[in-house]
Amino acid sequence: MAHPSLPRRPMLGPLPVLRSPIGLAHAVTALLAVVIVADVLNIGAAAYMMSVMGDLASGGEDVGAVNRADWAVTSTTGLYLLGLLGTATLFIIWFHRVRHNAEVFAPDVQRRTPGWAIGGWFIPFANLFIPRGIAKDVLRASQPDPYASEVRHRGLLDAWWGMWIASGIFTQFVTDRYNEASDPQAIHDAAGWLMTGSAADIVSAVLALLFVRRLTAAQNEKAMTGRQPLQPPAPQYPAAGGPVTGGSPVPGA
């Protein structure tokens, strides 16, 4: 007697599992601290350059001081760029890790696939808004109720993102102005703008550090307590002719 064949089932890939972002968060935090230290040193070097150029503009002449000031600005800028490169690399790895975990917590509130957590940073102009949207979705998935109307720490995300963009634009402007300066007074003024740009970058780095710590802590807390994502509100189906009510699974998206 022939046995009835079993119905075919679709081949499913491996289900995503949680992966701790804590180690990566510590590394990103340490490198952000290096960036902050480099910014502080850059402020000191720019202040020294302002002093030297001020003396030179008023008739003083000290070639040795000019060379030392130029070396100080160049060295601190190089340290900053190295720290920035390392931070950006590890930050993107950490960002992909927390996006991966969001796929476990609440995949239905994620509007972009995990690959965008890496690729979104490398698309000109689109990188000004795609990563922020991903970060907002990850924050939503990482809170106790991913279907709540409010997203925890959204204010911190908006503050960091806005400051990061503003600081990047301003730093590029003042760097170009400093590189184009040719006389002592112009270099003196441009060095002052360099100090302002470094101060803005410090604020951006501090906000980024806080964002990394808050999001990592939220995911760790949710994983340790074993909270399962709540279900989105089910639509209600009234009698024929009545209005259909129900909530969206992604409020405020």
Side-chain angles (χ1 to χ4, degrees):
M1 179 179 179
H3 295 283
S5 60
L6 296 175
R8 292 185 178 182
R9 301 178 59 186
M11 297 297 292
L12 300 177
L15 296 176
V17 295
L18 292 175
R19 300 175 64 189
S20 175
I22 295 177
L24 287 171
H26 287 333
V28 173
T29 299
L31 285 175
L32 281 170
V34 171
V35 170
I36 293 171
V37 169
D39 275 321
V40 172
L41 293 175
N42 207 353
I43 291 175
Y48 180 46
M49 177 64 79
M50 285 185 68
S51 175
V52 171
M53 289 297 110
D55 292 341
L56 194 62
S58 62
E61 185 174 353
D62 186 346
V63 177
V66 172
N67 291 335
R68 287 192 297 271
D70 183 63
W71 178 86
V73 172
T74 301
S75 299
T76 55
T77 300
L79 176 61
Y80 169 79
L81 292 175
L82 286 175
L84 186 64
L85 178 62
T87 302
T89 301
L90 279 183
F91 183 92
I92 292 175
I93 296 173
W94 167 85
F95 193 64
H96 183 262
R97 175 69 57 85
V98 294
R99 171 59 186 86
H100 169 89
N101 289 342
E103 199 73 13
V104 180
F105 291 139
D108 53 333
V109 302
Q110 305 303 304
R111 290 169 291 180
R112 296 184 185 273
T113 60
W116 282 100
I118 297 177
W121 295 95
F122 300 97
I123 304 174
F125 300 108
N127 57 10
L128 298 177
F129 61 87
I130 286 179
R132 181 198 168 278
I134 295 172
K136 179 184 173 184
D137 291 345
V138 173
L139 278 174
R140 181 181 292 282
S142 304
Q143 63 189 16
D145 179 8
Y147 307 105
S149 59
E150 298 294 330
V151 178
R152 294 173 61 183
H153 309 308
R154 179 176 176 178
L156 177 59
L157 168 63
D158 292 341
W160 161 57
W161 195 255
M163 194 63 197
W164 176 68
I165 293 176
S167 173
I169 295 173
F170 185 74
T171 298
Q172 185 61 51
F173 167 75
V174 300
T175 300
D176 292 342
R177 183 168 178 174
Y178 181 82
N179 291 334
E180 294 169 359
S182 56
D183 61 86
Q185 187 59 49
I187 296 174
H188 174 276
D189 296 342
W193 285 110
L194 278 181
M195 295 173 64
T196 305
S198 294
D201 194 73
I202 289 174
V203 176
S204 175
V206 170
L207 291 173
L209 189 152
L210 292 175
F211 174 73
V212 169
R213 291 176 62 87
R214 296 279 175 83
L215 179 51
T216 300
Q219 290 205 342
N220 183 62
E221 179 184 357
K222 189 164 185 174
M224 293 300 290
T225 56
R227 291 185 179 135
Q228 296 297 323
L230 303 177
Q231 295 300 316
Q236 301 174 5
Y237 299 98
V244 178
T245 61
S248 166
V250 190

